[in-house]
Amino acid sequence: ELVLTQSPGTLSLSPGERATLSCRASQSVSSTFLAWYQQKPGQAPRLLIYGASIRATGIPDRFSGSGSGTDFTLTISRLEPEDFAVYCCQQYPTAFGQGTKLEIK
Amino acid sequence: QVHLVQSGAEVKKPGDSVQVSCKASGYTFTDYYLHWLRQAPGQRLEWMGWINPNSGGTKFAQKFQGRVTMTRDTSISTAYMDLSRLISDDTAVYYCARERVRRTLIVDACDPWGQGTLVTVSS
């Protein structure tokens, strides 16, 4: 069974800083099916990245994804106040990471 | 604009069944598969299965086989997820989510998602 492990569990940063979030798979996976979502309390998950590195429609270019095999990264280049949320990765469709909470320092 | 609007929160007793609806708008309902997922408190998202709104065909995660039903009413662009024999561990926010692209292409993510429906199972 594929397991996605995200790190860190919580990331405390200030607006304007750079955020680097990791998603590690227990076995090699296809980049085609690696997606990242943003979750805010009481809101629907929002697709940020699909195909490991392709920004979804309307996603600002401060969000970028990279990686292959078992190691994938979501980078937010300069944090805006609205970026503080929980981020999770998915190997479409069945496996999800446990999430990284990005909080204001 | 594509929207998925789900039914409201439910409180159920152990052993009950629950039905969650998902009304689609802004696109041709029968052109895109819909997935159902859930997230229990403090847990990761969990995929439950999908429905092909055109044919009614379904595929479920093994964990939910025999307990989940997914149906649709194309006349009102609405999908339904029924979960039976509820236990306390079924307490979760349930989501519907549309596949990002039609299955004539490689499907790689879900977008958009419904707002979520909280189902609480408690005696």
Side-chain angles (χ1 to χ4, degrees):
Chain A
E1 179 191 347
L2 176 66
V3 177
L4 299 182
T5 302
Q6 293 185 240
S7 61
T10 302
L11 186 57
S12 300
L13 293 170
S14 300
E17 290 193 294
R18 180 185 186 92
T20 303
L21 288 67
S22 172
C23 175
R24 177 162 291 176
S26 58
Q27 60 197 71
S28 185
V29 299
S30 170
S31 299
T32 299
F33 303 109
L34 197 288
W36 289 91
Y37 298 88
Q38 179 190 67
Q39 284 189 279
K40 294 182 178 180
Q43 295 186 20
R46 176 190 181 197
L47 176 66
L48 299 174
I49 301 284
Y50 62 93
S53 62
I54 305 169
R55 275 189 302 276
T57 302
I59 301 303
D61 60 7
R62 64 180 181 273
F63 290 90
S64 63
S66 63
S68 64
T70 60
D71 290 299
F72 298 88
T73 300
L74 175 69
T75 301
I76 311 171
S77 58
R78 285 179 57 85
L79 286 166
E80 298 286 342
E82 62 268 26
D83 298 337
F84 292 92
V86 174
Y87 294 84
C88 68
C89 57
Q90 178 196 26
Q91 177 66 9
Y92 180 83
T94 59
F96 286 87
Q98 82 279 19
T100 289
K101 181 180 181 182
L102 180 56
E103 65 177 22
I104 299 177
K105 187 174 182 179
Chain B
Q1 196 172 7
V2 177
H3 281 300
L4 299 175
V5 178
Q6 299 182 220
S7 50
E10 302 266 10
V11 179
K12 296 292 183 181
K13 295 190 181 305
D16 284 353
S17 297
V18 68
Q19 182 180 77
V20 179
S21 67
C22 172
K23 182 170 178 58
S25 62
Y27 72 99
T28 301
F29 178 66
T30 51
D31 279 353
Y32 294 80
Y33 284 41
L34 279 172
H35 293 237
W36 288 93
L37 308 97
R38 74 178 188 180
Q39 188 166 34
Q43 303 299 310
R44 66 186 68 198
L45 282 158
E46 182 175 31
W47 179 78
M48 300 179 69
W50 55 247
I51 181 168
N52 175 351
N54 186 42
S55 68
T58 54
K59 180 175 182 177
F60 306 132
Q62 189 170 7
K63 174 177 179 176
F64 299 102
Q65 295 266 9
R67 213 160 62 94
V68 69
T69 305
M70 296 178 187
T71 58
R72 90 290 189 219
D73 184 337
T74 57
S75 69
I76 55 172
S77 300
T78 299
Y80 303 92
M81 187 281 298
D82 290 82
L83 189 63
S84 62
R85 302 193 302 276
L86 292 169
I87 61 175
S88 58
D89 286 352
D90 292 320
T91 294
V93 177
Y94 288 76
Y95 294 99
C96 61
R98 196 200 76 172
E99 290 189 345
R100 189 182 68 83
V101 293
R102 298 175 65 175
R103 287 211 171 188
T104 50
L105 302 172
I106 295 175
V107 182
D108 48 22
C110 283
D111 182 44
W113 295 51
Q115 84 278 16
T117 298
L118 175 62
V119 175
T120 303
V121 183
S122 175
S123 55

